[in-house]
Amino acid sequence: FSDAERDSVLITNNKLFEHSVLQVNYTTYDLRCEQDSINPRTRADLMVMSHEDDRAHPYWYACLIKVFHINVEYYKTPDSVWSCPKRIDFLFVRWFKQDTSPASFTAKRLQRLQFFEDESPDAYGFLDPECVIRGTHIIPAFAFGCPKGLLIPTIGRCQADPDWVLYYVNM
């Protein structure tokens, strides 16, 4: 975005609102309506549609860190008046990346994931809640252990819940 485009947006009262839970409505395999509650403290894993050309796996996975909303006002031209405030919801997430080893029913192994390295520009990101398909159950692959070396605590990692080298996507 250009400087002029960024200047045409105003966060109302410079306030950012934090929420404790994300509610996601979805349709089950038998066409029933259900709802997931995704809580960053207890059940934080979610799935979205993949945006890659390679459709080997149709989903991306993330760990929810925080749920936010802001009220935004904007104007189209410098001479116009500010719009009425509009609510924008967004999520702060830590992304998983796919493990390259084969996973399928014929390979008799669940899909494996791992977190991006903290220094990677793809490790953390913001996400529109409308993109979330549903919550998912991601299980640590205990046999592979914890990463080697000291891990610095960040907003995406707490001392009580250590990272693991790999995780399984439960089906």
Side-chain angles (χ1 to χ4, degrees):
F1 295 100
S2 69
D3 288 340
E5 289 172 322
R6 283 192 296 271
D7 288 343
S8 68
V9 176
L10 173 72
I11 297 174
T12 308
N13 298 326
N14 288 326
K15 286 188 179 179
L16 174 73
F17 300 91
E18 184 179 341
H19 301 277
S20 57
V21 176
L22 170 67
Q23 301 286 343
V24 178
N25 296 318
Y26 67 95
T27 304
T28 64
Y29 68 94
D30 57 353
L31 302 177
R32 296 177 65 187
C33 294
E34 294 287 337
Q35 187 175 65
D36 270 338
S37 293
I38 304 172
N39 185 327
R41 292 184 305 120
T42 58
R43 189 170 174 263
D45 300 315
L46 54 93
M47 61 193 289
V48 299
M49 290 299 294
S50 170
H51 296 287
E52 297 173 344
D53 292 334
D54 176 21
R55 289 298 197 159
H57 193 73
Y59 307 111
W60 286 345
Y61 300 92
C63 181
L64 180 63
I65 298 172
K66 297 280 185 183
V67 181
F68 297 108
H69 93 262
I70 55 175
N71 295 315
V72 175
E73 301 172 46
Y74 68 94
Y75 64 84
K76 293 184 181 182
T77 65
D79 299 331
S80 65
V81 295
W82 290 96
S83 67
C84 293
K86 179 181 177 185
R87 178 180 168 142
I88 297 179
D89 298 304
F90 61 98
L91 312 173
F92 182 52
V93 298
R94 184 176 183 200
W95 290 104
F96 287 100
K97 63 180 176 179
Q98 304 280 332
D99 182 44
T100 56
S101 57
S104 66
F105 288 116
T106 54
K108 298 180 182 170
R109 192 176 61 70
L110 296 172
Q111 178 69 42
R112 284 197 310 218
L113 306 172
Q114 63 190 80
F115 282 120
F116 282 94
E117 295 76 23
D118 280 341
E119 301 80 31
S120 170
D122 298 324
Y124 299 92
F126 292 100
L127 181 63
D128 181 354
E130 294 292 320
C131 294
V132 176
I133 297 172
R134 64 171 298 177
T136 187
H137 191 211
I138 295 179
I139 309 163
F142 298 108
F144 294 96
C146 293
K148 301 290 185 238
L150 281 171
L151 295 174
I152 302 166
T154 65
I155 192 169
R157 176 188 302 115
C158 67
Q159 294 297 89
D161 189 20
D163 282 345
W164 297 90
V165 172
L166 294 170
Y167 296 84
Y168 291 114
V169 178
N170 196 12
M171 299 179 89

